[in-house]
């Protein structure tokens, strides 16, 4: 059975870190809108030119642009076996567009994982990453981080109650080593799979 999973969590919660582990475990493609947009910027595409200033400031890229790239990616053959959506949807508008896209194809989201991490730890993780990287992400600058966190609270957190109505939401404690966090995620996902463990 294909499994479609959505990861929701504030910047620095570990969505990317845990997605890498989970896609290996479930053998599904990893769809990270942040990575897709960063690739577009580094390739200098028209989309990249359009989104650069939004991303540099830690603002959200307009819904139609993001919905467009995800819709295109979901058409690929590898997504028939499911997918791991990391960083999308991020607004109610995006969630509604995704629901409609899946509904039109007789598909649905199976699990929404909310990764919970206190704000002071998020700050530390993002600043730490900026220090370690030779070429830090433009949005890991101290000025952009508060905006990213505040947009998460105002635009993305409401998705938890949007999805809660369907009983597909699971909350996972994102504090601990990446392996400890992954063990919690795996347990959660296994409990939601029709056949249990992989
Ligand atoms: P995106 O790339 O999605 O970034 P983000 O969610 O804001 O933040 P991160 O990717 O930094 O966090 P993460 O949860 O993946 O954590 P990670 O595993 O990296 O989006 C970037 C921008 O693109 C947005 O601001 C927006 O402009 C645009 N965008 C993207 N999607 C969009 C959408 N749908 N709509 C509109 N705009 C969109 O970990 C962070 C750090 O912590 C790493 O250094 C990691 O090593 C460390 N770490 C991870 N786990 C642990 C742990 N357990 N213990 C200690 N350290 C840890
Ligand atoms: Mg990420």
């Amino acid at each position: 059975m294909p499994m479609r999973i959505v990861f929701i969590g504030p910047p620095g919660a570990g969505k990317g870190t845990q997605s890498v582990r989970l896609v290996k475990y479930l053998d599904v493609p990893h769809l990270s809108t942040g990575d897709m947009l960063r690739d577009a910027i580094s390739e200098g595409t028209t989309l990249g030119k359009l989104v650069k200033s939004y991303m540099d400031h830690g603002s959200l890229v307009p819904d139609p642009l993001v919905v467009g790239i995800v819709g295109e990616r979901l058409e690929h053959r590898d997504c028939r076996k499911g997918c791991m959506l990391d960083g999308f949807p991020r607004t109610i508008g995006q969630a509604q567009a995704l629901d409609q896209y899946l509904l039109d194809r007789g598909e649905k989201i199976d699990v929404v994982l909310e990764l919970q991490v206190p704000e002071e730890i998020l700050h530390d993780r993002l600043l730490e990453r900026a220090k370690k990287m030779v070429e830090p992400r433009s949005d890991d600058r101290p000025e952009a981080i508060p905006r990213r966190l505040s947009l998460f609270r105002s635009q993305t957190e409401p998705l938890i109650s949007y999805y809660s109505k369907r009983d597909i939401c699971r909350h996972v404690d994102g504090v601990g080593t990446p392996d400890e966090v992954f063990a919690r995620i795996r347990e959660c996902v296994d409990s939601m799979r029709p056949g249990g463990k992989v």
Side-chain angles (χ1 to χ4, degrees):
M1 273 284 274
M3 215 175 182
R4 292 177 192 83
I5 302 179
V6 165
F7 241 135
I8 294 182
K15 302 181 296 294
T17 305
Q18 296 301 330
S19 290
V20 171
R21 290 167 158 78
L22 196 54
V23 297
K24 231 188 212 170
Y25 181 62
L26 294 174
D27 186 29
V28 293
H30 178 197
L31 274 58
S32 156
T33 40
D35 289 348
M36 292 179 204
L37 295 167
R38 278 184 290 276
D39 287 348
I41 293 175
S42 58
E43 287 159 16
T45 64
T46 311
L47 174 71
K49 287 180 186 131
L50 277 173
V51 302
K52 187 172 181 338
S53 68
Y54 293 101
M55 293 187 67
D56 284 351
H57 291 96
S59 302
L60 291 181
V61 169
D63 285 355
L65 296 177
V66 187
V67 167
I69 54 167
V70 174
E72 235 171 69
R73 180 64 185 87
L74 284 171
E75 291 295 326
H76 289 209
R77 202 186 168 80
D78 61 346
C79 292
R80 286 188 202 160
K81 57 183 178 180
C83 62
M84 166 84 248
L85 289 159
D86 161 10
F88 179 90
R90 235 172 167 102
T91 64
I92 296 283
Q94 293 177 18
Q96 288 168 336
L98 176 65
D99 278 341
Q100 191 58 52
Y101 176 96
L102 294 173
L103 186 70
D104 290 346
R105 289 157 181 79
E107 297 166 353
K108 62 178 173 39
I109 295 162
D110 300 287
V111 189
V112 174
L113 291 171
E114 187 206 1
L115 211 44
Q116 298 175 319
V117 176
E119 225 163 84
E120 53 288 4
I121 297 185
L122 299 172
H123 267 277
D124 292 348
R125 285 185 187 175
L126 296 174
L127 292 174
E128 197 54 38
R129 175 170 65 188
K131 272 193 243 158
K132 274 193 229 153
M133 305 264 282
V134 184
E135 230 181 285
R137 267 173 55 169
S138 57
D139 57 349
D140 278 349
R141 281 174 296 116
E143 313 87 85
I145 294 173
R147 173 184 281 266
R148 290 163 65 196
L149 290 169
S150 132
L151 282 169
F152 173 76
R153 285 191 298 266
S154 64
Q155 303 294 309
T156 311
E157 229 165 28
L159 293 180
I160 307 296
S161 49
Y162 176 87
Y163 285 120
S164 291
K165 292 170 195 138
R166 292 180 225 172
D167 192 30
I168 51 172
C169 250
R170 295 294 179 272
H171 313 282
V172 177
D173 178 4
V175 181
T177 66
D179 285 346
E180 284 166 349
V181 176
F182 183 63
R184 292 175 203 138
I185 290 174
R186 198 177 49 198
E187 197 178 319
C188 220
V189 169
D190 283 343
S191 72
M192 304 281 283
R193 285 167 67 85
K197 281 188 182 185
V198 174

